[in-house]
Amino acid sequence: MGSTNTAKVDRYKNNFLKEVEENVEEGDWVRMCMQCGVCAGSCPLGPHWDHPPQEIFMMIRAGKRDEVLASDSMWMCTSCYNCIVRCPRELPITHIMHGLANYAHRLGVAHQENPTRRFAQMFWNNVTKTGRANELKISLGLYFMDGFMNGIKKSLAMKKIGIGMFMTGRLDPFGLVQGRGCKGSGDIDKMLKKAFEIEDHRKGYNS
Amino acid sequence: MADEKKIAAYICRGCELGARLDTDQLANIAQREGKARVVQQHDFLCSEEGVQLIRNDIDNEGVTHAVVAACSRRAKTAAFSLEDVAVIRTNLREGVIWAQPDSEENREITQEMADDYVRMGCAEARFVTRPAANSEAGSSKIILVVGGGISGMTAAQEISKAGYSVILVEKQGQLGGWAGRLWKRTPGKEPFADPEDTKIAQMVQSIEEDDRISVHLNATVGRTSGAPGQFSVDISTASGSTVTENAGAIIQASGFENFDASQLPEMGFGKSPNVVDQAGLELLAKEADGKRIKRPSDGKEVESVVFVQCAGQRSDKEGELSYCSGHCCNTSIKQAMYFKDANPEIETAIIYNDLRTPGNGEDFYRNAQRKRVTFTKGEVSSVETGGSDLEVRFKDLILDEVTSLSADLVVLATGQVPNSGVDVEAELEAETAENDGNQAGSKQEESLSVSVAVESILNLDYRQGADLPHLQHGFSDSHFICFPYESRRTGIYACGPVRRPMDIAQATEDATGAALKAIQAAENAALGRAAHPRSGDLSFPSFRKEGCTQCKRCTVECPFGAINEDDAGYPLFNEGRCRRCGTCMGSCPVRVISFENYSIDTVGQQLKSVDVPDEFEEKPRILVLACENDAYPALDMAARNGNHYSAYVRVIPVRCLGSVNDIWVKDALNCGYDGIVLMGCKKGDDYQCHFVKGSEMAHYRMSKIDDTLQQLQLEAERVSTLEVEITDIRRAPQLLNDFVDQINEIGLSPFRF
Ligand code: SF4
Ligand code: SF4
Ligand code: SF4
């Protein structure tokens, strides 16, 4: 695939569309969008990101590979499903958005600074390590995501809630050093490895 | 009053009429004031027994005119359509008791209303004669179809299937028209997914085998004269021979020409052979016949193609079409499939502004998306033809950027230009302007230059011009809003793209409708009866020669070209062409035109018979002349729905507002009416007037009535001309009530005594 904004000859041709169809979850729906703009008008995140779904789908058809894959749009989707219920063409828009995010991530070209993406990565790392989500680590990780001072400030702001949770046994302070895992977490590792292997093989990634 | 006339009045007490009204008093009025020689009351007049009562009087008492004071003329038509006598319907139900609230304080004015309607019914009866059919009726039932494209062929087949004979005239050497030049057509059947065979060859064959259809190829209509039931048509062939045929009705299916794409130099048409219009692409597709389409410049198999929608259409540029041709989006979708079906790897992009896919085109559009045709909303600025590939420059309207894309072939979706012949009205205006010696003609030249064909299609031998009048954008006039196919030339019906842009499916439907209309017209003509909208009417206009001043107003104002002039300059009515609207009667300044059952007197005497109370009673009287086609039904339906209106109005139905003669307005003012309302259909380009120009004429005439009002020293607001639609069942009564309020503000007429 071209590295700069797709070469002239590829504009409005089927190359990138086909790539999306083959690699992105529900990607073969993209061609069915009729550009009505209902999703763009329905999305609560609309004003906060680069391109609403309507534009993303048109960009795919226009062959704007790099711009689409590096966009922060699909990372901003909160899965509210507003667009899906309203799309007159019944596109599974939310799923396509997540599919695109996943694809861009696997290719290693996804938006770098987008906080949702970083949080997603953090969550993944956390949960796959022991097979169980460690809430304390996740929340602290989230607080300290934007630097040490920010982390202290956020932690202090949440202090009361933290103490309340501790008092009712909803928060295990030892989790910080020794999180509770699940039985056979090594098997989870193996399962995931195999799954990646299969996916890589099927989709031709070389991660 | 003729001696043999014997008027009888029948007053119904059913439908609560008996409870709400003093029917004895009505009977009394009919007898004393209405001069009815027989007066009967009945509890259920539309019942078998009630109707028998009337029949007995006709048979035994020699009754010639029956005034039926019951429900609206629009109700119980079958029960009260009595042969041999003139029936006058007096509307006490919808017009009085349903239009008024059932309350004690309203009782008196409701009764007054009913009293007046009985007076009016009897007055009308005194001046009505039962009409007899046109004795000069022609009886040809052969239908002439001009144009052998999909519309003309469909019309011919439908007419033949109904058992009538057809003469089909086609200019080209073969039938089929544009549809015959297509490789495939947009789908007309479930699942509306893929291009379909046009089946034109089979259609042509079945027409050729049809005994009832005689086909003239390479032929045009050299001259058309006559009227429904008796058209005489000269058919000239290329070889120079001419045959004259008779026809009962005519269908004009002369279709369209393609917009000339060479008028779009920025799109590269004419500069590169690889820029074609949709017709050009059909040609290439026919050559390829299912295999890969080759580009004209070097025969290379096309690998990428771009369709430019709305090329020279929906444009405000001089010389381009301002309208949408309706078929071209679906056509481009179909043509994109020609490529995708031959090889799905061919890149096809359709650049549109609004994708319009009428009919079942939405399914077709979806399937094109499935086939990966790229649809992009954009505005094409130019097609660059310099390089080996074409470069289409456009603004992507979704991504909001100026961009371009390359292609081997570009297809321009240009529009349909109607093949509608001479613009007779523009010609007439130009002529008038010339006669007047001023320069106004230049504007006409402009509008003439827009139409492609200056050759006449029908060559009508009418004083009003050689072809059907045009409506907008050079399309042949048709009653666009309410009665497609109906034209201003009786017995001549337009169908297909000559009357508005359309595709094959729509043209097929259109032709079927026109076929039925033409048959109906021929059948009616043979019986000496009127065509739509007074279908079946036997009356026709006649004029009193002694009074006629040869002013020609009737000749000019008749919307249907039914009046010519004889050698001495008197009007010559062509009854076959007459639609019985009465516009001529309304136009005549010396009031010499009348129908047996509709005349200056039948309405004038009604309005004079109303009892106008003296000024101290403070009861205004408003005369409403309501068009029987839409305004009157609207008031009926309003009353049926409980939408009441003022008890001070007296409504008289008229055939068309065009038939309203100034004298009625003047007489009404002199009689002391406080206000006059004319209620008719919508006028203008999107007219709903059943007689096309009647409502417009009435508005025009009433705009001149101010002088009369001034002479009488009356306020201009006392006369009002309103446009209503048949569905205005809330608005129409409201308009009347508002008018009454307005009159109350101005004060009652000083002409009361
Ligand atoms: S599901 Fe995602 S893309 Fe759709 S409206 Fe909600 S946030 Fe927007
Ligand atoms: S609502 Fe559906 S069809 Fe409309 S623009 Fe969004 S994805 Fe496309
Ligand atoms: S104006 Fe109407 S009634 Fe009079 S001749 Fe013409 S069509 Fe007939």
Side-chain angles (χ1 to χ4, degrees):
Chain A
M1 291 299 140
S3 56
T4 54
N5 203 4
T6 37
K8 190 166 101 180
V9 283
D10 287 344
R11 262 188 247 141
Y12 298 90
K13 312 278 197 254
N14 288 161
N15 330 31
F16 184 43
L17 176 70
K18 281 189 189 156
E19 183 187 342
V20 167
E21 287 174 2
E22 280 156 24
N23 296 292
V24 171
E25 188 189 346
E26 306 278 19
D28 53 353
W29 275 97
V30 171
R31 57 181 134 154
M32 297 312 291
C33 166
M34 64 170 181
Q35 295 296 320
C36 68
V38 165
C39 54
S42 307
C43 180
L45 272 304
H48 306 292
W49 64 12
D50 295 348
H51 309 286
Q54 174 200 16
E55 257 175 58
I56 289 283
F57 301 155
M58 196 59 233
M59 286 161 75
I60 293 172
R61 290 168 8 184
K64 293 181 176 268
R65 185 174 190 274
D66 295 354
E67 282 179 41
V68 170
L69 294 176
S71 158
D72 75 343
S73 298
M74 48 274 198
W75 296 101
M76 296 290 281
C77 171
T78 61
S79 309
C80 72
Y81 282 75
N82 258 352
C83 52
I84 287 203
V85 295
R86 289 184 185 168
C87 173
R89 280 294 181 82
E90 302 178 328
L91 267 74
I93 302 166
T94 318
H95 304 181
I96 305 170
M97 294 308 270
H98 294 316
L100 279 170
N102 180 264
Y103 182 55
H105 174 75
R106 292 299 307 272
L107 288 178
V109 295
H111 195 278
Q112 290 302 319
E113 292 90 51
N114 181 279
T116 331
R117 177 181 179 227
R118 283 157 65 203
F119 176 68
Q121 183 67 57
M122 193 187 295
F123 182 86
W124 174 263
N125 292 343
N126 182 299
V127 83
T128 52
K129 200 164 173 192
T130 58
R132 200 187 273 272
N134 185 318
E135 283 167 1
L136 191 60
K137 274 189 181 169
I138 291 176
S139 356
L140 287 179
L142 185 63
Y143 298 162
F144 287 90
M145 198 161 70
D146 300 324
F148 187 71
M149 282 315 290
N150 260 330
I152 299 290
K153 266 191 217 152
K154 277 188 197 153
S155 310
L156 287 174
M158 299 299 282
K159 192 176 69 186
K160 236 176 141 184
I161 295 176
I163 291 170
M165 282 174 77
F166 171 69
M167 301 295 281
T168 50
R170 302 297 307 271
L171 195 141
D172 174 13
F174 298 108
L176 207 51
V177 280
Q178 189 205 9
R180 276 193 295 160
C182 65
K183 267 184 226 157
S185 63
D187 289 345
I188 291 183
D189 251 13
K190 277 189 219 156
M191 270 159 57
L192 286 172
K193 220 167 159 190
K194 188 72 195 166
F196 274 118
E197 211 181 290
I198 295 170
E199 195 186 34
D200 287 353
H201 177 72
R202 208 185 278 159
K203 298 196 172 170
Y205 300 135
N206 34 19
S207 63
Chain B
M1 217 193 306
D3 262 345
E4 68 271 26
K5 242 181 214 178
K6 187 164 185 181
I7 299 172
Y10 299 91
I11 294 155
C12 182
R13 282 194 303 244
C15 290
E16 289 214 323
L17 285 164
R20 297 273 307 270
L21 300 170
D22 180 350
T23 52
D24 288 340
Q25 182 173 320
L26 297 179
N28 231 329
I29 289 172
Q31 195 174 16
R32 296 244 178 89
E33 300 176 43
K35 307 275 189 288
R37 312 235 302 265
V38 178
V39 180
Q40 306 247 34
Q41 298 185 40
H42 195 273
D43 284 335
F44 191 6
L45 197 59
C46 61
S47 66
E48 227 170 274
E49 190 197 289
V51 175
Q52 192 54 45
L53 177 87
I54 308 176
R55 270 252 71 96
N56 287 345
D57 286 350
I58 298 169
D59 297 341
N60 307 329
E61 308 285 325
V63 166
T64 58
H65 289 63
V67 178
V68 174
C71 41
S72 164
R73 50 157 65 187
R74 301 179 60 255
K76 304 285 174 197
T77 41
F80 295 124
S81 63
L82 303 161
E83 278 155 38
D84 335 316
V85 294
V87 178
I88 293 93
R89 301 287 298 270
T90 286
N91 189 354
L92 299 183
R93 191 178 71 174
E94 289 85 342
V96 181
I97 61 163
W98 285 358
Q100 299 308 320
D102 185 8
S103 64
E104 207 38 57
E105 68 266 29
N106 258 62
R107 196 164 265 277
E108 183 185 305
I109 50 176
T110 307
Q111 180 70 33
E112 283 175 8
M113 217 179 174
D115 292 351
D116 276 345
Y117 278 125
V118 170
R119 289 184 187 105
M120 288 154 78
C122 295
E124 185 182 358
R126 288 202 294 278
F127 291 88
V128 161
T129 347
R130 194 183 158 78
N134 175 7
S135 52
E136 294 157 24
S139 58
S140 169
K141 290 184 188 163
I142 300 168
I143 315 290
L144 173 78
V145 177
V146 183
I150 192 83
S151 315
M153 291 199 298
T154 307
Q157 283 190 319
E158 292 294 336
I159 294 163
S160 161
K161 273 191 237 163
Y164 294 79
S165 297
V166 185
I167 303 167
L168 182 55
V169 177
E170 167 57 44
K171 199 164 64 179
Q172 308 284 334
Q174 77 277 340
L175 294 175
W178 280 108
R181 277 168 256 176
L182 305 180
W183 185 54
K184 294 211 166 151
R185 58 165 287 185
T186 47
K189 297 192 296 281
E190 284 278 355
F192 305 100
D194 297 292
E196 279 170 14
D197 195 278
T198 60
K199 301 249 171 68
I200 292 294
Q202 290 95 311
M203 208 170 172
V204 171
Q205 195 191 347
S206 92
I207 285 178
E208 279 164 358
E209 286 165 3
D210 194 323
D211 293 341
R212 275 198 282 265
I213 306 177
S214 69
V215 181
H216 297 255
L217 296 175
N218 293 313
T220 53
V221 174
R223 199 182 83 106
T224 306
S225 61
Q230 47 191 347
F231 285 111
S232 164
V233 185
D234 293 352
I235 300 167
S236 328
T237 55
S239 61
S241 65
T242 298
V243 285
T244 304
E245 300 267 17
N246 283 322
I250 299 174
I251 290 178
Q252 182 180 334
S254 47
F256 67 99
E257 292 301 331
N258 257 337
F259 176 79
D260 177 12
S262 59
Q263 292 191 42
L264 306 168
E266 71 280 11
M267 297 298 170
F269 190 89
K271 286 192 202 150
S272 162
N274 298 337
V275 180
V276 295
D277 61 6
Q278 290 180 326
L281 190 89
E282 293 295 338
L283 224 64
L284 295 177
K286 265 201 159 175
E287 266 166 35
D289 196 25
K291 301 204 189 63
R292 293 278 299 263
I293 291 173
K294 301 198 177 86
R295 72 176 183 192
S297 65
D298 55 4
K300 173 191 161 230
E301 286 184 349
V302 173
E303 278 162 29
S304 58
V305 55
V306 173
F307 293 85
V308 178
Q309 295 310 107
C310 304
Q313 306 193 61
R314 302 176 66 209
S315 151
D316 45 20
K317 278 197 214 129
E318 175 101 37
E320 299 189 357
L321 307 178
S322 59
Y323 51 88
C324 161
S325 292
H327 77 93
C328 2
C329 282
N330 278 332
T331 300
S332 287
I333 291 173
K334 174 193 74 175
Q335 296 186 336
M337 286 193 189
Y338 290 174
F339 293 94
K340 284 290 189 192
D341 291 348
N343 182 348
E345 298 302 318
I346 301 174
E347 298 287 354
T348 54
I350 296 182
I351 307 180
Y352 65 90
N353 198 334
D354 301 293
L355 205 71
R356 294 176 169 180
T357 53
N360 290 285
E362 188 66 17
D363 292 337
F364 196 39
Y365 170 25
R366 249 180 251 241
N367 208 37
Q369 287 182 296
R370 264 180 221 117
K371 293 182 183 180
R372 290 203 195 82
V373 175
T374 301
F375 289 87
T376 173
K377 187 176 167 78
E379 215 168 277
V380 176
S381 54
S382 67
V383 177
E384 304 302 328
T385 53
S388 63
D389 285 352
L390 300 166
E391 188 75 17
V392 182
R393 295 196 196 286
F394 70 106
K395 179 168 186 198
D396 187 315
L397 294 173
I398 299 292
L399 304 181
D400 194 25
E401 62 183 17
V402 176
T403 179
S404 70
L405 82 109
S406 57
D408 291 331
L409 190 73
V410 167
V411 184
L412 304 178
T414 54
Q416 296 180 327
V417 179
N419 196 6
S420 54
V422 187
D423 185 350
V424 293
E425 281 174 345
E427 242 187 15
L428 202 74
E429 267 177 59
E431 219 171 85
T432 322
E434 215 171 88
N435 291 348
D436 293 355
N438 63 30
Q439 301 308 101
S442 60
K443 189 183 142 258
Q444 296 313 322
E445 256 164 51
E446 242 172 66
S447 66
L448 273 176
S449 68
V450 179
S451 63
V452 274
V454 278
E455 267 172 56
S456 168
I457 307 288
L458 296 175
N459 281 303
L460 294 171
D461 191 14
Y462 284 27
R463 64 174 292 285
Q464 292 81 6
D467 277 304
L468 295 180
H470 293 176
L471 200 56
Q472 269 180 0
H473 314 304
F475 286 90
S476 282
D477 179 29
S478 65
H479 203 294
F480 203 84
I481 308 282
C482 317
F483 310 103
Y485 340 118
E486 285 293 347
S487 80
R488 263 177 271 169
R489 299 294 174 259
T490 311
I492 306 180
Y493 299 89
C495 74
V498 71
R499 64 169 203 93
R500 71 167 178 78
M502 61 177 82
D503 61 13
I504 290 182
Q506 291 171 20
T508 308
E509 201 179 290
D510 226 45
T512 311
L516 295 178
K517 277 288 182 183
I519 293 171
Q520 191 191 39
E523 285 289 354
N524 265 326
L527 296 170
R529 310 193 305 194
H532 164 98
R534 293 191 57 81
S535 191
D537 187 0
L538 293 173
S539 71
F540 48 84
S542 61
F543 79 113
R544 213 164 22 85
K545 206 166 184 173
E546 311 84 69
C548 175
T549 60
Q550 303 186 336
C551 72
K552 291 198 182 125
R553 274 202 214 163
C554 54
T555 341
V556 173
E557 292 189 10
C558 170
F560 302 101
I563 314 174
N564 279 346
E565 282 138 37
D566 67 9
D567 295 337
Y570 287 108
L572 195 62
F573 288 89
N574 186 322
E575 279 148 26
R577 291 185 205 162
C578 170
R579 304 281 265 270
R580 283 73 162 169
C581 61
T583 301
C584 48
M585 181 171 112
S587 76
C588 181
V590 286
R591 301 177 296 283
V592 294
I593 302 176
S594 63
F595 299 76
E596 282 128 316
N597 55 359
Y598 187 59
S599 64
I600 298 294
D601 277 339
T602 61
V603 174
Q605 295 298 328
Q606 281 188 70
L607 67 92
K608 286 179 193 163
S609 72
V610 165
D611 182 34
V612 179
D614 65 36
E615 58 189 306
F616 304 110
E617 279 197 57
E618 292 191 346
K619 285 176 185 160
R621 285 292 177 262
I622 313 293
L623 176 67
V624 180
L625 296 167
C627 159
E628 67 178 8
N629 300 297
D630 281 6
Y632 197 73
L635 288 175
D636 269 3
M637 285 188 285
R640 179 183 290 267
N641 283 283
N643 302 331
H644 301 147
Y645 54 85
S646 168
Y648 300 133
V649 306
R650 300 292 178 264
V651 186
I652 301 178
V654 294
R655 289 187 177 185
C656 171
L657 273 203
S659 70
V660 173
N661 193 296
D662 291 1
I663 194 69
W664 294 340
V665 177
K666 290 175 192 160
D667 280 353
L669 292 170
N670 280 318
C671 287
Y673 281 89
D674 305 290
I676 297 151
V677 177
L678 273 64
M679 254 190 181
C681 302
K682 233 171 135 192
K683 60 179 192 328
D685 271 347
D686 49 353
Y687 62 84
Q688 295 182 4
C689 175
H690 291 49
F691 298 100
V692 186
K693 289 281 170 197
S695 177
E696 199 168 299
M697 284 316 312
H699 277 80
Y700 174 73
R701 290 181 203 143
M702 287 307 127
S703 70
K704 310 246 155 179
I705 207 89
D706 286 1
D707 292 347
T708 312
L709 288 162
Q710 248 168 23
Q711 275 167 22
L712 297 171
Q713 296 194 327
L714 288 171
E715 298 79 358
E717 293 79 27
R718 289 198 190 271
V719 179
S720 171
T721 314
L722 304 171
E723 291 172 56
V724 297
E725 296 176 20
I726 195 160
T727 48
D728 278 341
I729 62 169
R730 283 208 181 80
R731 187 172 160 264
Q734 190 57 48
L735 287 172
L736 291 183
N737 291 340
D738 292 347
F739 185 79
V740 174
D741 290 347
Q742 184 184 315
I743 291 298
N744 278 328
E745 257 168 52
I746 305 173
L748 298 187
S749 163
F751 282 86
R752 297 191 166 208
F753 39 81

